[in-house]
Amino acid sequence: MKTPTSGSPAWRSRHPHYVALTLGEATLAVPQAEVHTLESMLDLEPDADGLRVGWIRLHGRRWPVFCASPSLEPMASLPDGRRICVMLSAASGLFGFACDAVSSVDAAHLDLVTLPACMARPGHPVSALARSGDEVLCVTCAEDLLDFALRARPETDESEVRRTAPSRELQ
Amino acid sequence: MSPESNGWLLKLRGGWRAALGLRELVHVLPYSPRLYPIPQTPSHVRHAILWEGRILPLLDLTAFLEASSDRDLQPATDRLSLDHMVAIVAYHAASTPEVSLGGMLLGKVPERIQVADEQACALPGSPAAWHQVAIACFEHPDHGAVPILDLPRLFSGALAAHAWPTYDSDSRPRPERGARTPGLIEGAGWQIDALGQGAALPVGDT
């Protein structure tokens, strides 16, 4: 599911708030509605396996935590500064994404453009770029981030993530 | 003798030379803009810049030429110094009737040139990537063959297709390479009212 990127009022009403996720020099923006909780990386159960750096226990289950460089390349270990784990809610369940910093952004203050054609490709996790003051955010969504993370590491057993669907535990 | 056309000689990083039509070069920034890394982008467009409140892709033609010459996509823009020079260029994308803007990394300040049709020549044979990004070529008295850039193609997804083999290639009809006259250097027949004044332009989403 791609995030609408026209910058239209309809798009803003659908996602009135975004959360900016800082990954080194790059900043992602995901709809706030897709952010489940923020956890401390101190609670991580290390289990490095390619992109996945470990697990976070939540609601009686454990959920995979991913870590990526500013260019969204998989990182086998946590760089300095990745102290926050943002737990994102995808259709198949929760997953964590290690970040340097997390902040809230009002969509009304975002000036969006679709990802320029020269930068885009099928399956690109960034659907749009957004200006917030003097910052440029890369707009994505939990579903696209998860899909990208799983494709970035083909050997990941996707069923393992799918099996951890939170619907039973959260009901 | 045929009339001469006005254009710009671009001096790119790495000593590469290329040319643009007079109206295609909008502005040369008098400062080094902040570069915003965009994840998972080809090595020649790894960053965006902010210019007059707009987000523009920043194209590093040197990275594209050098990557295609040895098929090793190096992150050339990672090697940028803090005093990188950026030009704002304007072009007509096929997807929109409005003028689109982009940024281009330069090595030195561009130079005004005049080109006559008699100077037409074939594109340089190497790197082969010139054939993907140029619409014509002329013989410069000091610098030899100078390709004239096809900006709409440079900023389309066509070069990304080159960087990612799995990409669907651009189906847009291509002009004949190396056989057109430098008269094309004047641009594609559209006008920018505020050319050279750095004023706001009527552009759509990039």
Side-chain angles (χ1 to χ4, degrees):
Chain A
M1 180 183 68
K2 286 288 183 183
T3 303
T5 57
S6 65
S8 65
W11 176 85
R12 285 178 176 153
S13 64
R14 180 170 179 177
H15 297 302
H17 296 285
Y18 276 75
V19 172
L21 313 177
T22 303
L23 306 176
E25 297 176 334
T27 306
L28 305 179
V30 297
Q32 184 171 294
E34 297 178 353
V35 175
H36 185 73
T37 56
L38 299 180
E39 305 294 331
S40 169
M41 289 302 289
L42 295 175
D43 295 329
L44 181 77
E45 297 177 8
D47 183 19
D49 185 15
L51 180 65
R52 188 189 70 209
V53 292
W55 305 87
I56 287 281
R57 288 196 177 275
L58 203 61
H59 308 302
R61 301 289 300 267
R62 66 175 194 169
W63 311 99
V65 176
F66 302 103
C67 181
S69 70
S71 57
L72 283 183
E73 297 295 336
M75 299 184 78
S77 60
L78 285 170
D80 291 341
R82 296 289 172 88
R83 294 173 298 184
I84 302 174
C85 178
V86 58
M87 299 302 297
L88 297 168
S89 179
S92 55
L94 300 180
F95 68 97
F97 212 79
C99 307
D100 298 337
V102 177
S103 59
S104 181
V105 181
D106 188 339
H109 298 150
L110 291 180
D111 186 13
L112 266 89
V113 295
T114 54
L115 189 66
C118 56
M119 293 178 162
R121 63 172 168 144
H124 199 291
V126 176
S127 55
L129 302 178
R131 182 176 67 87
S132 175
D134 61 353
E135 296 292 332
V136 173
L137 313 180
C138 300
V139 179
T140 183
C141 65
E143 205 68 47
D144 287 349
L145 266 184
L146 179 59
D147 286 347
F148 180 77
L150 295 174
R151 279 188 285 110
R153 185 175 170 276
E155 65 270 27
T156 296
D157 181 5
E158 184 173 349
S159 62
E160 187 171 38
V161 176
R162 303 303 179 195
R163 279 198 305 269
T164 57
S167 54
R168 291 189 303 257
E169 288 73 22
L170 297 181
Q171 282 177 351
Chain B
M1 182 176 177
S2 63
E4 293 186 326
S5 299
N6 294 307
W8 293 99
L9 178 66
L10 304 183
K11 301 170 182 178
L12 307 171
R13 297 186 309 119
W16 302 98
R17 299 285 194 277
L20 286 180
L22 184 66
R23 293 175 175 81
E24 291 178 307
L25 182 62
V26 176
H27 195 66
V28 177
L29 300 186
Y31 56 91
S32 298
R34 178 177 170 185
L35 306 184
Y36 298 90
I38 308 301
Q40 294 295 308
T41 46
S43 61
H44 62 279
V45 277
R46 293 168 64 90
H47 296 89
I49 60 171
L50 283 177
W51 183 68
E52 296 195 346
R54 295 186 177 91
I55 301 172
L56 306 181
L58 179 64
L59 191 139
D60 184 358
L61 185 57
T62 296
F64 181 74
L65 294 172
E66 293 181 351
S68 62
S69 61
D70 59 11
R71 301 301 305 150
D72 181 17
L73 295 177
Q74 297 293 328
T77 46
D78 284 351
R79 302 193 302 264
L80 292 178
S81 64
L82 293 177
D83 58 351
H84 49 268
M85 181 175 291
V86 172
I88 306 300
V89 297
Y91 61 97
H92 256 152
S95 57
T96 172
E98 299 175 328
V99 176
S100 298
L101 298 176
M104 277 193 72
L105 275 169
L106 303 179
K108 296 180 180 177
V109 177
E111 174 186 322
R112 278 286 296 271
I113 53 173
Q114 289 190 314
V115 179
D117 285 354
E118 287 78 8
Q119 293 174 254
C121 68
L123 285 167
S126 178
W130 280 126
H131 290 261
Q132 299 178 55
V133 300
I135 52 175
C137 191
F138 68 93
E139 186 74 17
H140 189 282
D142 298 326
H143 303 297
V146 175
I148 301 172
L149 298 180
D150 183 351
L151 284 184
R153 183 170 174 82
L154 273 169
F155 285 94
S156 73
L159 300 192
H162 177 85
W164 289 303
T166 56
Y167 219 88
D168 293 331
S169 60
D170 181 16
S171 59
R172 189 165 59 94
R174 303 291 301 119
E176 185 180 353
R177 299 291 170 188
R180 300 177 72 169
T181 67
L184 288 169
I185 200 170
E186 286 283 11
W190 43 269
Q191 299 291 321
I192 302 175
D193 294 338
L195 181 69
Q197 300 175 22
L201 297 172
V203 299
D205 291 351
T206 55

